Structure formats: C-alpha cells, structure tokens
Amino acid sequence: TRQEFIRNFAIIAHIDHGKSTLADRIMEMTNTISEREAEDQLLDDLSVEKAHGVTVKSRTVRNYFIDERGDEYQYNLIDTPGHVDFNYEVSRSLSATDGVLLLVDATKGVQAQTVANYRLAKEANLVIIPIVNKIDTAAAEVDATIAQLEDLDDAFTPDNIIKISAKSGLHVDTVLTAIRDRIPAPKGDEHADLQALVFDSKFDPYKGIIVQARIVQGTLNSNDQVLFMANQIKSGIKEMGVFAPLMTPIKQLKAGDVGFIVTGIKDPEAVKVGDTITLAKQPVASALPGYQDVEPMVYAGLYPRGSEFKDLKIGIEKLALNDAAFQYEPEQSEALGMGFRGGFLGIFHLQIIRERLKEEFGLDVLTTMPNSTYRVTVKNEDEPIYVENPTQFPDYGQIMLVEEPYMLAKMTMPNEMLNDVMRLAEGRRGELVDLETIGAMLLVTYRMPISEIAYDFFNELKSVSHGFATLSTTFDQYQPSDLVRIDIAIDYAKIDALTFVVHRLKANRMGIEIVDKLKNLIPRKLQAMPVQAIVEGRAIARADVPPLRKAQASGTKVSKKQQQMRRQGVKKSDIELPQAVFDAILEMN
Ligand code: GDP
Ligand code: MG
C-alpha cells in the first residue's frame, strides 16, 4: 500500500464507553473479521484482562477499507490499554499513531478518563476525531455530551463531532471516512536508512521475542538482518507480518507500516520497548528518541512458594519483557531464601504481575510488604545511598538525613467531588499545587510522598469519587521525611522479610497493630513465642503467639530458656511465614 493510503490510529475512551465494541465494528465493516468473530472480542485476549476488565497489552490490527471511490486504504488500528496505572502504555501505543478516535458514551458524558486520554493525545500532537457513542439508547443525552466536548477543545464543534451507535453500527461508516479525511497519512522516506520504533514486545514460548514496530523511515524486508540499536544486538528475522487479526506473514514493511517481527532472540533482556530497529548492514546514524523511562514507584520481594526458584526466574524474565514498567533483581532473604526484588508502578501493577505469574506460568508467589525508595545520608559519607529494600535501611545511629520521593499527582474529576478528593489527599500528606477547570471537570494537582500514593490511594480515590476520578502521577523530587525502620522479631529472632519503613508518626500505631495481627497468623509451636516490633533498638510493641497445646502447662509462658536467648542476642528463626502474614501488614497502612 502506498503511504497516502495508510492510516495509523487508536481509539481512546473512558472505560465502558464502547472502545472494544467500536473496534469490533470497524474490523467487521472492513471484513477483517466476521460478525460471529466480533462477538468473541478479539482484542481482549489475555485472561488477566478479562478478570480486571482492562486491556493490559496492546495489539495492532491491520484492516482494509474500500471507500466509495473504490480506493483501498490500509487502516492500522492500535488498541490502547484502559487502566490509569498503565498510562505509560497508552502514551507508548499512541506514539505509533497519527490520530485517535475519542469516544464518549452519550449516557455518561465526558468523564475523567476521557479528559486524561484527551490530554495524552494532545501532548502527542495527534489529530483527534471526537465521537459520541450509544446514541441508540433511550438514556442518551446527545446534545449535552456534544456541549461537554465543545468545552473540552475549541476545535470540537457540532459539525465535526460524529454521533454513532457502535453496537448497531449506525454512522460507523462516517467514522471510517473521517479516518481517511482527517487523520494524516504517515510521512517518512521509504528509501532512507531504516528506522523503526518498537512500541510493544511479547514473549512467545515457541517463537521467542516478538516485537511490534512502526516503520518511521526506510524499508524492511523479511530476509534482512536487523540491528536493535539500544543494546547493539543483531538478529535475523524468523517471521515478519501483521495482525489481521491473526498473525499473517508479509515480505516487506515500508515507512508508515506497522507490523510484527519474530526475532528468535532468546535473551529476554535484549530488546526493550522504545528501542530503534535499523538494518545491520546499513545502520541509520541515530536512534529515534526512545520512550520516557518508566520508574517503578514501589518495590516488593517476590519469593517462590511451592515451586522452584529457577521456574520463578524464567516466569519473571518473560513477564518483564512484556511489561516495560516491571523491573526486578535477585535478592536473598534469611526467612524466605532466594527470590527477587520487583519494582512496580503501584499496588495494582504488583497484583497484575502476581496474577499473571499464576495464570501464565502456574507460579504461586509470596510477596512481601511493598516500599518506595529512600535516599539516606549516613555519617562520614558525602554521597547519599538509595535504599530499595527496607532491610538495608541504615541503623538509626548512622543516619544524618532521610528523604523520600514525592510525586505530582494529577487528578481529574467532576466538580462536585472536589471536597472529598481534597480531604483524601490532605490525609495522605498531600500539598495542593494547582487547580484548573476543563469543561465540567476539574484538574487538581497535589504533591505527595510516593509511599502515600502507592498503596491504596488509587482505590480510595475511586471509592470517594464513585469511580469518576482519574489519577496520573509523575516524579517530582526527594524531600526530607522523618522515616523509621520497624523490625519484627519472633521468639527474639529478627525476621528480615518483615522489616519495613514508615513515617515516625505512624510507627507506634502500626507496631501495635502488627504484633497483634501476627500473634494469630504465625504458625504456633509447643511453647509460647513473643512477637515484638522494634524501632531504634527499642521494642515498641509486643504480643505472644499462644502455644500449640494449651493443656501443656509448661509451655504457656515464655520460658527461662527463651529469656536467656534474648540476652544472648540474635539467632536464626525457623518460622514458616504464610502469605497471610504479609497481607495483614499490607492491609494496615
Ligand atoms: P470499552 O470498555 O470502552 O471497551 O467498552 P465496551 O466496548 O466493552 O462496551 C461497554 C458496554 O457498552 C458493553 O456492554 C457494550 O455492549 C455497550 N455498548 C457499546 N457501544 C454501545 C452502543 O453504541 N449502544 C449501546 N446501547 N451499548 C453499547
Ligand atoms: Mg474494552
């Protein structure tokens, strides 16, 4: 297909506004899939996505649209993820497009994700086609929705806002011609040196690494040797093609095209999203500007449970390849053995990783209490150290200054939710930075510690806003913070996997709560065992795990021998820690 007949676009919308339905309808009306196949919702194919009702991974589908003049256009539809924790993935897939369909449900109107997605598309300088959906329903408020869209962007007018029913297909033909007329064809010289942008990457157990890329300039033939520029890795092409919607082989991809490449590369670290592909025999002078690096916000230990470390290692490596925001490195715990320290965007992200390990690899994983990064200046050292694991948080006697990362949290919500959202943010050490009006919505910016956002802030925000608010976060800076390390000792042995860091104001309350919960969750032994929370060398809380058999009088109290062990100091623990222990700590905050 000549460039002028190619369109690369995505659909963006608030959840449930009909993105998948419209995608199905487009694929059906261009004969990419049959009506029956459309019912199977081809774009949501990961089981985790189904469970969470969100699309975690993108997939690009090539469609052919024949217009009223008989001209054939290649329509590459890129499916973007729908969850706020995955905003980086939205930007990533948007960067492979030249325009978007902004879809709004007429029964709901412009909502928070509508605004958030709109902003991402605007930042990427994309053409935006505004569409009002579900006009077939009795509850549709078409005029009010159009008015809200006009508020959102001066360029949206009743004339260029398209009114459709994605369900029945009404006026979807207008959308198809608008894609042709309003979204620009890709530019880029197909005779120039090859430059292709990797915007997605997936591991297939049989085929190895599969990347999706947009050819920015030049031409790629299926018998070429390619060079992945970031790590200077050369590879042949095992298969090349497009999703139509199933994998369909193709011999050549030219500037403007989007397609997949099966590399056969077996090193999961070799190719990252944002990488530039060029030709090995004739490399381009400079790589494309990569994607912004996504920094993990929370860290947690991941340990095998009922499986081998090496199996966990394989699963984690494959997942990391598929998810640019997930990072990991090996670590060792006295209590849990060999495992990994994972870096995540937030708790929801951690949950997804855990579920994917289970569903895609059959791995049951034990996760420890999550934490953020701390910057600690210790005595007699010029350079501060960055602590990602609470067990490496220096002893209090060594500490000069502790700082923790703060984020700018941008929240979009309807006007009437402002008070509840402000109360929530201020209860989490948030400081108001900015307040802005966009149509009927408010955009509020707070500066907050990551540790206050990362746990359940997003869930709380959803809850106080009845699902209407969105959150997007960016790193701001490190700020001094009065943080302390809490060690947990069971039967006088410190359990490294239970160590965590909190603000001093919370330490007492959390210490008391934790020992209280642990006393019921720690597997019992013949004798009673004390559980202590220790801060700066002092036990701030204590509770005893009752003995296994109450009848046995000698075991009901902490024994002389145990008392002695305390005086002798450290010893190794042989306590088995169930996941419930970590869950209990996580629930507190
Ligand atoms: P997504 O979350 O944006 O992908 O939304 P879906 O495409 O899954 O649609 C959410 C719900 O709205 C589904 O039950 C659809 O059947 C329904 N829906 C989508 N488009 C229309 C429409 O034009 N009219 C009506 N009545 N329902 C629609
Ligand atoms: Mg969907």
Side-chain angles (χ1 to χ4, degrees):
T1 311
R2 292 216 319 271
Q3 236 174 30
E4 61 185 286
F5 293 107
I6 298 176
R7 299 292 181 274
N8 293 319
F9 65 99
I11 307 172
I12 53 178
H14 192 83
I15 189 116
D16 283 342
H17 281 204
K19 194 175 85 175
S20 301
T21 309
L22 180 59
D24 288 346
R25 208 55 62 235
I26 289 174
M27 289 193 285
E28 195 186 294
M29 290 173 69
T30 55
N31 295 313
T32 309
I33 54 167
S34 68
E35 211 170 301
R36 195 187 51 76
E37 286 169 326
E39 282 166 17
D40 298 340
Q41 293 235 348
L42 274 153
L43 286 175
D44 293 336
D45 69 344
L46 279 175
S47 49
V48 176
E49 292 170 13
K50 293 223 174 81
H52 289 276
V54 298
T55 306
V56 179
K57 295 309 299 178
S58 324
R59 179 191 281 182
T60 304
V61 179
R62 177 185 282 195
N63 308 272
Y64 288 100
F65 167 63
I66 298 169
D67 71 4
E68 71 281 2
R69 298 182 291 241
D71 289 331
E72 188 183 76
Y73 287 79
Q74 176 187 314
Y75 276 9
N76 297 316
L77 167 57
I78 291 166
D79 191 33
T80 58
H83 193 273
V84 64
D85 257 14
F86 299 95
N87 253 344
Y88 73 99
E89 290 208 329
V90 180
S91 326
R92 200 169 90 178
S93 37
L94 286 183
S95 66
T97 75
D98 298 302
V100 295
L101 312 180
L102 177 68
L103 197 62
V104 182
D105 181 341
T107 67
K108 299 278 165 56
V110 168
Q111 296 198 2
Q113 275 289 344
T114 316
V115 179
N117 280 311
Y118 161 81
R119 286 209 324 267
L120 289 177
K122 206 73 186 165
E123 279 164 23
N125 287 318
L126 301 173
V127 167
I128 303 172
I129 301 178
I131 302 173
V132 175
N133 189 29
K134 306 198 189 179
I135 61 166
D136 58 299
T137 61
E141 297 198 28
V142 179
D143 291 337
T145 307
I146 288 176
Q148 290 175 351
L149 277 166
E150 290 183 76
D151 261 356
L152 189 61
D153 191 318
D154 291 341
F156 299 161
T157 65
D159 285 338
N160 64 24
I161 297 170
I162 306 172
K163 303 175 282 276
I164 68 164
S165 165
K167 196 170 183 180
S168 75
L170 180 69
H171 298 158
V172 177
D173 53 344
T174 311
V175 174
L176 290 171
T177 43
I179 293 169
R180 176 196 67 192
D181 296 338
R182 300 192 209 170
I183 296 175
K187 296 181 206 67
D189 181 357
E190 60 189 51
H191 303 294
D193 291 339
L194 179 71
Q195 245 180 354
L197 181 66
V198 175
F199 65 87
D200 192 24
S201 153
K202 191 175 172 174
F203 192 88
D204 182 285
Y206 303 104
K207 298 181 173 180
I209 295 176
I210 305 170
V211 297
Q212 291 201 73
R214 165 157 177 182
I215 314 292
V216 175
Q217 62 171 44
T219 300
L220 179 61
N221 290 300
S222 56
N223 58 356
D224 281 332
Q225 276 270 112
V226 292
L227 172 70
F228 290 92
M229 293 183 78
N231 293 324
Q232 293 289 305
I233 288 174
K234 287 181 189 168
S235 167
I237 298 174
K238 282 198 156 171
E239 280 175 58
M240 188 167 100
V242 295
F243 290 104
L246 301 174
M247 292 171 100
T248 311
I250 211 162
K251 289 221 148 51
Q252 193 175 61
L253 291 170
K254 288 188 195 170
D257 284 337
V258 175
F260 71 80
I261 299 167
V262 179
T263 61
I265 295 175
K266 288 284 148 62
D267 172 9
E269 295 284 308
V271 183
K272 283 269 149 79
V273 162
D275 205 344
T276 300
I277 305 173
T278 190
L279 291 184
K281 64 172 189 293
Q282 198 181 336
V284 71
S286 60
L288 295 158
Y291 295 95
Q292 221 184 335
D293 259 356
V294 260
E295 288 293 322
M297 303 210 331
V298 291
Y299 296 84
L302 300 170
Y303 290 86
R305 186 163 49 164
S307 60
E308 298 283 323
F309 171 77
K310 67 174 194 323
D311 294 330
L312 179 61
K313 181 165 184 281
I314 292 168
I316 279 179
E317 280 172 353
K318 287 179 182 170
L319 277 191
L321 176 73
N322 192 228
D323 182 339
F326 169 52
Q327 301 183 5
Y328 65 94
E329 56 183 47
E331 78 171 5
Q332 177 122 26
S333 154
E334 274 172 25
L336 303 171
M338 294 270 283
F340 292 94
R341 181 126 295 247
F344 311 89
L345 293 177
I347 294 299
F348 181 77
H349 188 210
L350 190 163
Q351 264 172 331
I352 294 239
I353 294 287
R354 213 167 125 178
E355 280 168 41
R356 291 187 63 187
L357 283 169
K358 179 148 200 166
E359 290 186 7
E360 294 169 36
F361 302 94
L363 293 166
D364 213 2
V365 190
L366 193 145
T367 51
T368 65
M369 164 89 167
N371 59 275
S372 65
T373 311
Y374 313 104
R375 185 161 78 181
V376 186
T377 311
V378 292
K379 286 178 184 157
N380 306 319
E381 292 287 342
D382 295 336
E383 293 293 315
I385 53 169
Y386 289 83
V387 179
E388 282 166 15
N389 185 333
T391 59
Q392 280 149 24
F393 197 84
D395 278 332
Y396 66 102
Q398 297 301 311
I399 293 175
M400 302 279 289
L401 176 68
V402 181
E403 292 164 295
E404 69 176 321
Y406 275 63
M407 308 289 284
L408 287 176
K410 282 191 188 207
M411 294 169 276
T412 317
M413 75 212 75
N415 285 314
E416 64 271 22
M417 316 243 150
L418 181 65
N419 282 336
D420 290 334
V421 171
M422 288 181 81
R423 200 171 308 128
L424 174 69
E426 271 146 35
R428 304 294 184 99
R429 296 192 273 150
E431 169 202 327
L432 185 65
V433 177
D434 192 32
L435 202 153
E436 199 184 314
T437 309
I438 304 179
M441 308 291 289
L442 286 173
L443 176 58
V444 188
T445 308
Y446 270 89
R447 183 180 293 113
M448 291 170 74
I450 287 186
S451 57
E452 298 282 351
I453 296 178
Y455 300 121
D456 60 348
F457 182 76
F458 181 60
N459 286 338
E460 292 279 314
L461 181 66
K462 283 281 166 196
S463 150
V464 302
S465 70
H466 309 287
F468 287 106
T470 62
L471 169 71
S472 83
T473 52
T474 47
F475 175 73
D476 186 35
Q477 60 186 37
Y478 277 87
Q479 288 189 23
S481 196
D482 193 6
L483 301 176
V484 294
R485 189 182 81 207
I486 301 191
D487 290 310
I488 302 293
I490 301 174
D491 208 8
Y492 304 114
K494 275 186 191 168
I495 311 291
D496 62 352
L498 293 178
T499 296
F500 62 100
V501 173
V502 287
H503 198 270
R504 188 182 299 276
L505 292 174
K506 278 189 178 177
N508 265 320
R509 177 177 62 74
M510 284 190 72
I512 291 165
E513 262 181 68
I514 281 179
V515 297
D516 201 53
K517 289 197 172 182
L518 289 180
K519 85 170 183 234
N520 298 316
L521 292 168
I522 299 292
R524 296 178 182 192
K525 294 211 169 173
L526 281 173
Q527 77 283 9
M529 293 182 294
V531 181
Q532 296 165 296
I534 300 160
V535 173
E536 299 182 345
R538 202 166 51 83
I540 56 164
R542 165 179 171 158
D544 289 351
V545 180
L548 212 44
R549 273 176 268 158
K550 278 207 174 99
Q552 203 173 322
S554 68
T556 49
K557 280 210 211 128
V558 174
S559 71
K560 280 251 160 57
K561 186 158 156 263
Q562 283 171 286
Q563 301 270 19
Q564 240 169 15
M565 283 191 310
R566 177 175 62 170
R567 272 175 236 120
Q568 285 158 5
V570 210
K571 65 159 190 165
K572 268 213 161 191
S573 176
D574 57 353
I575 308 275
E576 288 262 333
L577 297 169
Q579 177 67 44
V581 165
F582 298 98
D583 293 345
I585 299 180
L586 185 53
E587 271 167 23
M588 292 194 324
N589 262 277

